[in-house]
Amino acid sequence: MVDVGRKIELQKAFWLHANKRPVIQLRVGSIFPTDCFSVSEKLLSVGKNITPDMLNVEEFLPDYERMYNVSENISCNDSFWAAEPYAAIPWIEAMLGCRIFPGNNSFVSEPCIAAPKELGKARIDFDGVWVKKYCEFLTQLKKLSGGRFPVAQSSILRGLLDCLGAVLGQTQMIFALYDNPVEVETFVNILCDDFISLIKLQYEYINPFYGGSIADIWAPDKYMMHYQDDLTAIASPWAFERYLKTCHDKICSEFNYSYFHIHPASFMILDNLLSIENLGVVQTQKDVGGPSVDEMLPYLTRILKKKKLFFSGSFSFVELDNILEILPAAGLFLHISTDTLEDASVVSEYIKKKLDK
């Protein structure tokens, strides 16, 4: 029997930066959302742009059910598995008017704005087919759940700079930051409000889960929000301060519980990010080909001094030792990826012995 009360209390303590041991969540399977759904193969081979009518939500449901059943057999889990709209789709980009195409193992968007002067045309169309399809996923997943598991926002909802790069193209984006400050500022401010509206809209379609909401982390409130801005890796701390910080603070102020996803390649904006008072959690990960856990530890320690930390990755036992022995437990959430259920069991037992010492 899953001890739901224990999970809830541990995550409440996490939000208060008062958990006496790290919150641990193990997942099984590929990090690529397309690998998790059998219908992905068909969608990746269509050879043309993807439209909402190609996404038959019913075809996805058996895999959601399978993933939930797998999650129920993973021990040492302090959080809850959550179903989210098919994360392989770049939803925000599509809602802004970008065409979506199959890539190698996911889907990519095509810029939809020819020049920065036309940025005013890029808005989330709340009456459009992509918003309706997103909400259809939420509705069907709530029905499938029947209260057994939570339904969450898509884990890949691009942030403001990512969306600017999506609608213009990344090269155009960099030039626009310097050459078209008025148009860029107007775009990110409008998108900031649209983003807040979209997150609130999704909660009209899903039910609270044990009185709260979830986006990897359970939070004791109706609203939980997470977002990202991967393109900060090719921008600068100046660009973050000039265009993003006020909007990020506004987004976080709208939600009592929030976290922001950042790759190690963007750690040069870490101090700027940590200065956002209302931001609750910084989520980062051990990237394939990126810095080692040892190299990341000083940055992770800096995060934990000011915010909560959600740290993701596939870790060796030596890396787990370093994480658990060097980083403070308070405010630390470890999200560990494994290939198989057997691997998850081995890691789970190792962590239990480590924490029981």
Side-chain angles (χ1 to χ4, degrees):
M1 183 71 176
V2 176
D3 187 351
V4 172
R6 178 189 60 80
K7 292 185 177 185
I8 296 295
E9 290 306 312
L10 182 58
Q11 286 173 94
K12 283 182 178 179
F14 166 82
W15 283 108
L16 294 171
H17 219 117
N19 50 302
K20 290 183 169 50
R21 68 168 181 81
V23 184
I24 306 291
Q25 179 78 355
L26 280 83
R27 70 178 301 278
V28 172
S30 172
I31 62 172
F32 296 109
T34 47
D35 293 340
C36 300
F37 296 91
S38 57
V39 69
S40 296
E41 184 177 359
K42 177 179 68 174
L43 292 169
L44 287 170
S45 63
V46 296
K48 58 180 179 180
N49 63 296
I50 301 294
T51 55
D53 58 284
M54 296 179 183
L55 304 178
N56 181 349
V57 181
E58 294 284 345
E59 294 181 339
F60 291 84
L61 298 183
D63 284 313
Y64 283 110
E65 184 70 29
R66 173 187 53 78
M67 287 185 284
Y68 166 67
N69 290 329
V70 169
S71 74
E72 289 292 278
N73 289 304
I74 302 175
S75 59
C76 195
N77 263 355
D78 296 326
S79 191
F80 304 96
W81 179 84
E84 61 188 64
Y86 187 42
I89 292 293
W91 290 100
I92 297 284
E93 295 93 314
M95 293 173 188
L96 285 167
C98 297
R99 294 202 301 169
I100 307 302
F101 292 88
N104 292 328
N105 50 30
S106 190
F107 299 89
V108 296
S109 63
E110 178 184 77
C112 60
I113 299 297
K117 294 290 185 183
E118 300 177 15
L119 276 171
K121 298 178 182 178
R123 294 289 306 272
I124 292 179
D125 182 1
F126 284 93
D127 294 319
V129 290
W130 279 108
V131 172
K132 290 178 180 177
K133 179 57 67 172
Y134 185 84
C135 292
E136 182 186 348
F137 266 95
L138 296 172
T139 300
Q140 293 278 43
L141 290 173
K142 180 178 75 170
K143 181 179 178 182
L144 178 69
S145 165
R148 295 176 299 155
F149 52 81
V151 179
Q153 72 178 66
S154 175
S155 59
I156 304 179
L157 284 188
R158 304 296 182 187
L160 308 175
L161 198 63
D162 284 352
C163 290
L164 180 65
V167 300
L168 275 179
Q170 295 181 15
T171 301
Q172 275 264 60
M173 177 199 79
I174 294 297
F175 286 115
L177 293 175
Y178 296 92
D179 297 338
N180 302 90
V182 173
E183 289 83 358
V184 169
E185 189 170 61
T186 300
F187 173 81
V188 297
N189 285 330
I190 291 173
L191 183 59
C192 174
D193 291 337
D194 282 355
F195 190 88
I196 291 168
S197 296
L198 178 65
I199 299 301
K200 291 184 175 180
L201 173 66
Q202 79 164 16
Y203 283 102
E204 296 178 13
Y205 286 83
I206 57 181
N207 295 328
F209 189 73
Y210 290 101
S213 53
I214 194 166
D216 292 320
I217 313 166
W218 180 89
D221 191 14
K222 177 181 178 181
Y223 296 116
M224 170 66 186
M225 183 276 303
H226 71 101
Y227 65 118
Q228 64 188 74
D229 253 331
D230 286 353
L231 290 188
T232 53
I234 62 170
S236 67
W238 168 84
F240 187 91
E241 288 289 323
R242 171 68 174 81
Y243 295 109
L244 302 180
K245 187 175 179 179
T246 300
C247 288
H248 282 274
D249 189 62
K250 183 177 182 179
I251 291 170
C252 293
S253 298
E254 287 286 333
F255 306 98
N256 290 327
Y257 300 92
S258 61
Y259 76 81
F260 181 81
H261 162 81
I262 182 174
H263 286 276
S266 294
F267 277 170
M268 73 277 196
I269 67 149
L270 190 55
D271 287 337
N272 310 77
L273 191 64
L274 294 176
S275 68
I276 297 176
E277 182 178 353
N278 294 300
L279 176 63
V281 179
V282 174
Q283 188 269 330
T284 191
Q285 63 194 52
K286 175 192 164 190
D287 281 332
V288 176
S292 67
V293 168
D294 281 349
E295 291 171 318
M296 294 180 70
L297 283 171
Y299 297 96
L300 305 180
T301 302
R302 281 167 57 192
I303 293 169
L304 279 166
K305 285 181 179 178
K306 290 194 173 183
K307 306 291 181 184
K308 276 76 70 178
L309 169 65
F310 186 102
F311 189 31
S312 306
S314 176
F315 305 113
S316 69
F317 289 149
V318 171
E319 290 171 329
L320 284 172
D321 286 345
N322 288 338
I323 292 167
L324 296 172
E325 292 171 8
I326 295 174
L327 294 179
L332 176 60
F333 191 121
L334 280 181
H335 188 258
I336 304 169
S337 298
T338 59
D339 292 328
T340 67
L341 194 56
E342 291 75 19
D343 292 336
S345 297
V346 172
V347 173
S348 176
E349 287 303 311
Y350 186 84
I351 291 174
K352 284 180 181 178
K353 291 178 181 178
K354 189 79 178 175
L355 295 178
D356 288 342
K357 285 184 178 180

